Structure formats: structure tokens, C-alpha cells
Amino acid sequence: MGHNIKQKSGQKIECDHPLYHLKRKVWNSHVDCYPATIFECANEEDVIEAVQYANEHGLKITVRGGGFHPAGTSVKDNAVLIDLSKMNRVHIDEVSNIATVEAGAKTFEVDEITQEYGLAVPLGMNSNIGVSGLALGGGIGYLRGKYGLTSDHIVGVYLVTGEAKLIYVNRFEHPELFWAIRGAGANFGVVTKFEFNLVPVGQHILGIDVIYDYKDYKQIIEKAEIYRQNAVDEISFSIAITKMENDKKCVRLGGMYIGDLNIQVEKEIIQPLLELATPIADYTGIMPYIEMQRNFDWYVQNGFAIEGISLFFNELNDAVINILMEELEGSHFPASVHLIEIHGEMNRISNYETAFHIRDASYLVIVEAEIGNHPEKTQAWIQALYEKLLPYSYNQISYLNSSNVNEEIIRNSYRRIEKRLVELKKEYDPKNLFCPEHNLIG
């Protein structure tokens, strides 16, 4: 049977195109970049053409799946922007329990289909973010305790290399590249399609959502750490400490439990998280998995302007907590500190299995600040905070899916695996078309 080549149906958008200014935007409104050309791709042939164009014109390439990276890495001045947002099909194979997901799909587009089967791909904690960037950089979500990261469930990808060749990558074909794309995947080409292993997750889960008084933050963090040390795999949670416009501050604990519920579970596993201090409000309850995935979407609405950093930690000792709270209290703009606990399956996978090599950290800390009328002040505050926290962090490693991205941050995060990444970069992207913020080869 002959193989039908799909007709190209994407479009090339130059700077004089009526859609150019709309298409160059990302959700973080502080990012204001002017790509040389935008290729809105409808299929793999369009992607190959875009990479060939970049090669012919000596231009770098950025790739937009969902366009929700806080640092706006999917768009750069005078680069070719490969926009995959039209490539968002999802297919479930019930026999093999594999989801085939095109690289432009967003979390909700995958969840809505997989949940019809009582299955899920472990994705992030928001429904409107892109699957591609999440998966290639790790992917920390509510299912991390039971099932690990998004990247741990990649069983294969289709990828267009820097030399415009479409290849299939899995543990048998291009195994070194398969190691790399699961954690450092944005460096080597354009992933057009993922194959994910699916896991069982019922359509209804217990969504945990409690608001506490800010004055109790120290007690909450200390009790949460004791809880984390013995936490069952079926639960995960994070603590958000937020300073709002009016200088008001609150502590919010959000999480998910996906196990069976009974009186003993409610008393021993759920209740302790609802009583870390006296709650102001408690919205905990049984709800659809899809609804819980949407619960905090307001954190990543279009039009937000933020600066952010992230670091992993072995422990949140008094020095770390004091730095975070003193800086939060002293900031002159709204800001949030997110303490994302880590335990279970995410930590059981070997450091050497994938390029996401942060497997025995206990917390991921993400700090985000709103950019007001004086962006330079917010940027200076974020950078100073990063430098203060760095000595206490887990090997100075950031979560590159949720961080400002600069030479120092990427070099710190890749230090232990840089040699392997450089070898692969020379093989699959010899002209260094991808990820110009950090030259693995240069």
C-alpha cells in the first residue's frame, strides 16, 4: 500500500502579515520579541520546511508548543519561530495503553480524551499549558508520587533534527538521544509527536484545597515536612505563599489524592493536611480529575507579566525559609512562593535513567513576581533572591520548565550531564540552531 504524503496546509507568517503581531505573543506579556519568520505548521512536512529555511538563512530556531514557559523561551528576536499549536491531535490505543500526542496539544486536550478511558498521562498542575515543553523538561504534576514525571512516560518521539531529518527516537533507536530528550529535550530538534505510556486514574479524585492564615506559615511548613517524609504515593501537594496587591498575604495548600477513600484514609492521610494550622477556608472535596487540573489555571492566564526563578532543595531549613519570607515581605510588588513537595515514584527512578537527573530532592521552590511599572526592580529582586538561595539548593539545579533562563541558570542545571549533552548536540544539531540562550557547542 502506498504512503500518502500529506499536503502542506500550514502558513508562513512574515513581519508584514496581518497575523504577525498576534502570533509572536506568548502568555507572559513582558516578553516582547520579533521573530524573523513564523511558520505555523500543520504537519511534519511543514516543520521540515521551516528547519530547512532556518538553515538556508543562517537563523536560529525557537519552537512553540503551548507558549506557556514563564521566560518566553518559545520566541526570540530574529529567529525562526516554529509554531506547533495547530498540531494538537491525540490518539489512544487501548490495547497497548499508549497515547500518541502531537506536540502542539495542551494538557486539557489530552486529559479530556484519556479520562474517557479512566486513564491519564501524568502532566502538570494546570490544564492550559503545552504538553511538549512540559514533557521535554521533566513535567512535575499531581501524579508524581504514584507515577513520576511526564518525561518518565515518554516511550517514543518523532523529531526533526537540525539537519531537517525526521527520525523516530525510543530506547532502541537513537537510545542516547532518548535519554536526553527526557529532561533536556529542547536542545536537539523539533519534537513533532510523542508516544506516552498511559496510567490508570479514575475520573473522580479528591482535590485538596485549604487556605491558611499567613501568620502560621512556619508551623505549616514544618508540619508539612513531617507529613511528606511518610507520605503515601497516592497523594501530592504544594504550598503557595502569596503576597497580593494590597499587601495581604495568605498560605494555600493544594493537592490531589488518587487512592481509594474510606474513613481510615480520611482520618490518617487527608485530615492531617487540613489541620496544619487553623484553616480560614477549606474547599477540599471529591471532584472530576479534569476539574482539579483546571483549579489553578488562573496562575497562568494570558497577559500576566512575571519574572520567576526555581531551585530544588534537599530540605527547607530555617535559613531557606527565612530568606524566602523576608524577601517576600520586603517586596514592593505582588509575589508568590511555591513549595512543591517531592516524594514517591519521582524519586525512585535512577539519576542515570533520563536527563532529568534530579531524583533525590525533597522540594522544588518556585518564586514568581509580577512585573509592574518598574521591571528592572522586579528583575533585580528575583536575581538577588536566586543568588541568596543558591548555596542552600540541591546542586544549584533549577527546574528549567519554570524559571528564568539565562547562561548561569542553565549551566548550573546541566553541569553534571553537560559532556553527554554536548556530544549529542554535535551529532543532531551541529549548527546549534536550537536553544541559543546556552551554547552547548559554540
Side-chain angles (χ1 to χ4, degrees), residues 179-226:
W179 166 83
I181 56 134
R182 293 174 296 155
N187 291 287
F188 307 101
V190 186
V191 172
T192 58
K193 197 188 297 174
F194 293 86
E195 293 171 345
F196 290 112
N197 184 40
L198 289 156
V199 296
V201 176
Q203 293 180 344
H204 284 81
I205 51 81
L206 184 73
I208 301 165
D209 187 1
V210 193
I211 296 173
Y212 289 112
D213 196 314
Y214 174 75
K215 69 178 170 54
D216 297 322
Y217 75 80
K218 203 167 179 56
Q219 172 187 325
I220 292 163
I221 294 169
E222 285 169 0
K223 282 190 174 180
E225 167 54 18
I226 293 165

Side-chain angles (χ1 to χ4, degrees), residues 13-129:
I13 299 171
E14 308 277 8
C15 60
D16 57 353
H17 192 287
L19 290 176
Y20 175 80
H21 292 292
L22 177 69
K23 294 293 182 182
R24 69 181 181 82
K25 294 290 184 195
V26 290
W27 80 272
N28 185 351
S29 61
H30 183 58
V31 177
D32 188 25
C33 293
Y34 292 81
T37 306
I38 301 169
F39 281 83
E40 188 179 65
C41 299
N43 51 49
E44 286 162 340
E45 288 78 19
D46 293 348
V47 175
I48 290 166
E49 184 187 325
V51 174
Q52 286 170 338
Y53 179 92
N55 274 304
E56 286 160 14
H57 292 82
L59 297 168
K60 299 287 188 188
I61 293 173
T62 63
V63 183
R64 174 159 63 206
F68 276 89
H69 194 291
T73 55
S74 62
V75 60
K76 291 275 175 284
D77 286 328
N78 202 36
V80 170
L81 166 56
I82 296 179
D83 182 348
L84 303 175
S85 55
K86 300 276 191 209
M87 295 172 62
N88 62 348
R89 283 168 295 221
V90 179
H91 176 261
I92 308 300
D93 186 323
E94 286 182 87
V95 178
S96 62
N97 263 6
I98 300 287
T100 303
V101 179
E102 287 189 323
K106 291 184 179 178
T107 294
F108 75 88
E109 293 172 312
V110 177
D111 287 340
E112 283 174 1
I113 293 174
T114 59
Q115 276 287 284
E116 288 177 20
Y117 302 88
L119 299 168
V121 177
L123 296 169
M125 292 178 277
N126 301 94
S127 78
N128 57 358
I129 56 176

Side-chain angles (χ1 to χ4, degrees), residues 173-424:
E173 299 182 56
H174 309 279
E176 267 293 283
L177 186 57
F178 185 58
W179 166 83
I181 56 134
R182 293 174 296 155
N187 291 287
F188 307 101
V190 186
V191 172
T192 58
K193 197 188 297 174
F194 293 86
E195 293 171 345
F196 290 112
N197 184 40
L198 289 156
V199 296
V201 176
Q203 293 180 344
H204 284 81
I205 51 81
L206 184 73
I208 301 165
D209 187 1
V210 193
I211 296 173
Y212 289 112
D213 196 314
Y214 174 75
K215 69 178 170 54
D216 297 322
Y217 75 80
K218 203 167 179 56
Q219 172 187 325
I220 292 163
I221 294 169
E222 285 169 0
K223 282 190 174 180
E225 167 54 18
I226 293 165
Y227 181 95
R228 184 199 68 82
Q229 290 174 16
N230 300 296
V232 296
D233 289 359
E234 288 79 8
I235 204 159
S236 63
F237 65 91
S238 56
I239 297 167
I241 305 170
T242 305
K243 177 178 181 174
M244 288 162 273
E245 200 78 64
N246 54 9
D247 225 28
K248 195 178 170 190
K249 294 180 279 291
C250 78
V251 179
R252 187 170 187 172
L253 185 142
M256 185 186 285
Y257 176 74
I258 59 165
D260 294 330
L261 280 172
N262 54 50
I263 289 171
Q264 186 181 2
V265 165
E266 287 178 27
K267 185 179 170 189
E268 295 176 8
I269 296 175
I270 310 304
Q271 206 60 34
L273 288 177
L274 313 183
E275 297 173 348
L276 298 175
T278 305
I280 293 171
D282 183 353
Y283 304 108
T284 299
I286 293 170
M287 63 180 72
Y289 173 79
I290 292 172
E291 189 181 313
M292 187 62 193
Q293 288 287 79
R294 293 192 187 113
N295 213 20
F296 298 103
D297 280 359
W298 53 274
Y299 272 125
V300 286
Q301 291 174 46
N302 276 312
F304 269 24
I306 64 159
E307 286 283 333
I309 48 137
S310 66
L311 282 164
F312 287 93
F313 290 85
N314 277 332
E315 60 171 345
L316 297 179
N317 60 28
D318 286 347
V320 171
I321 298 301
N322 289 341
I323 289 168
L324 286 167
M325 293 306 109
E326 282 169 15
E327 291 298 319
L328 186 68
E329 287 167 12
S331 70
H332 299 295
F333 30 75
S336 294
V337 173
H338 301 271
L339 311 174
I340 299 168
E341 64 79 29
I342 298 170
H343 75 280
E345 184 63 20
M346 178 178 164
N347 285 5
R348 293 192 193 109
I349 292 163
S350 161
N351 282 353
Y352 304 103
E353 178 76 19
T354 71
F356 192 97
H357 58 297
I358 308 113
R359 294 298 185 167
D360 39 5
S362 303
Y363 286 92
L364 167 61
V365 174
I366 299 172
V367 183
E368 292 171 340
E370 282 188 33
I371 295 169
N373 299 327
H374 303 286
E376 67 287 343
K377 287 186 180 172
T378 313
Q379 287 162 339
W381 182 81
I382 282 285
Q383 183 59 29
L385 182 56
Y386 175 77
E387 285 165 13
K388 285 179 184 176
L389 291 170
L390 203 59
Y392 301 96
S393 66
Y394 174 89
N395 296 328
Q396 303 187 327
I397 296 173
S398 292
Y399 181 45
L400 297 178
N401 276 359
S402 210
S403 184
N404 278 1
V405 181
N406 62 33
E407 186 76 24
E408 177 192 10
I409 288 169
I410 297 179
R411 190 166 292 286
N412 284 341
S413 301
Y414 283 162
R415 187 180 293 119
R416 287 181 157 195
I417 57 172
E418 187 163 28
K419 193 175 173 198
R420 274 180 90 173
L421 296 180
V422 169
E423 290 306 309
L424 286 161

Side-chain angles (χ1 to χ4, degrees), residues 108-175:
F108 75 88
E109 293 172 312
V110 177
D111 287 340
E112 283 174 1
I113 293 174
T114 59
Q115 276 287 284
E116 288 177 20
Y117 302 88
L119 299 168
V121 177
L123 296 169
M125 292 178 277
N126 301 94
S127 78
N128 57 358
I129 56 176
V131 170
S132 182
L134 187 76
L136 296 173
I140 295 173
Y142 289 119
L143 303 180
R144 61 188 178 271
K146 180 74 173 173
Y147 295 120
L149 302 163
T150 309
S151 57
D152 297 332
H153 291 267
I154 298 173
V155 291
V157 302
Y158 290 86
L159 177 144
V160 178
T161 69
E163 294 175 314
K165 291 188 181 116
L166 178 64
I167 60 172
Y168 178 67
V169 181
N170 67 7
R171 63 177 351 111
F172 306 109
E173 299 182 56
H174 309 279

